[in-house]
Amino acid sequence: MLKSMTGFGRGSYEDADFSVNIEMKTVNHRYNEVAIRLPRFLNPLEDKIRKTILKTVSRGRIDVFITADYNVSGNCTLKVDKNLAAAYHKALQVAIGADAAGINAAAEILYLSKCPDVINVKEGFFDVESVWPKVEQAVEQAVANLVAMRETEGGNIYGDFIYRADLIAEKLAQIEERSPLVVEEYQAKLQERLTNLLADNNIKVEPERLLQEVAIFADRTSITEEIVRLKSHIKQFKTIIASDQPVGRKLDFLIQEFNREANTIASKANDYTMAQIVVEIKAEIEKIREQIQNIE
């Protein structure tokens, strides 16, 4: 099934001591790029998170946003810098001067506790590996939701691809039907032109010479090979988009071949009607090309 590169997924886990919420979104990108924003204490898990995502998502830019909280008794301690507090106390006395004796002790303590770096929070040991199964569960849930959205969008694109591929095949059949008539019309016009030019001198057109010129024209304007190749490309295109594997890069290459054959047909057609049909084919090819940019 086709997958779009655009999607969004959310996953979470929560118990009494730990909770994590994960959101990820993907957008078009030529390669595969993962950007993860997560709390500092989960940094050791970043590589595992990335590998878990890349097992499923193979193309696109993936932005991952992770928030987490933990509650472990005794895990945090407060450290008081007594020397710094004493320095603040002395500076306060100098600032107040003669009225220093009148400083309210409780008010000063409250003031000193708010001074920078007097009281610092020190985190204790946190066993990040022990919460990995919980984080992994949330990551896999987010990835599953992301993939579901990408598959839904991919299904819509698949329907559009089939419609446009059939439309190209239909217009190609019109060109194939028109192609022999172009040679016949050329022969009729050439014979009429030569007859009019040579009539004044009572010279008749040599049938062999006329057929030779027509044969040269037919060979120069033959588009049989291009039609056969483009039909083959259309068949291959339908086979590829029915695959369960990532196909964006294959389609990107194949659509270039579509364009190459269409351009060759246009340059060799030598017919206004066929040229107009080729323009319509190229318009459909361009619409497909634009959609391919969003395929994983």
Side-chain angles (χ1 to χ4, degrees), residues 92-104:
L92 185 62
Q93 286 183 321
V94 171
I96 295 178
D99 296 330
I103 297 177
N104 183 282

Side-chain angles (χ1 to χ4, degrees), residues 165-228:
D166 288 342
L167 197 57
I168 291 172
E170 180 183 320
K171 294 182 183 299
L172 191 60
Q174 295 174 11
I175 290 176
E176 190 174 19
E177 182 180 357
R178 172 71 182 163
S179 183
L181 300 178
V182 173
V183 177
E184 293 177 9
E185 290 175 1
Y186 175 79
Q187 181 177 355
K189 290 178 181 179
L190 181 61
Q191 184 170 9
E192 180 183 0
R193 192 176 304 163
L194 289 174
T195 299
N196 292 336
L197 288 172
L198 300 176
D200 294 339
N201 298 318
N202 295 321
I203 301 174
K204 293 183 179 180
V205 178
E206 296 180 11
E208 295 80 5
R209 180 59 178 168
L210 178 62
L211 290 175
Q212 184 180 4
E213 290 296 327
V214 172
I216 294 173
F217 174 82
D219 182 65
R220 188 174 67 250
T221 61
S222 175
I223 54 175
T224 302
E225 291 183 10
E226 288 76 14
I227 290 175
V228 170

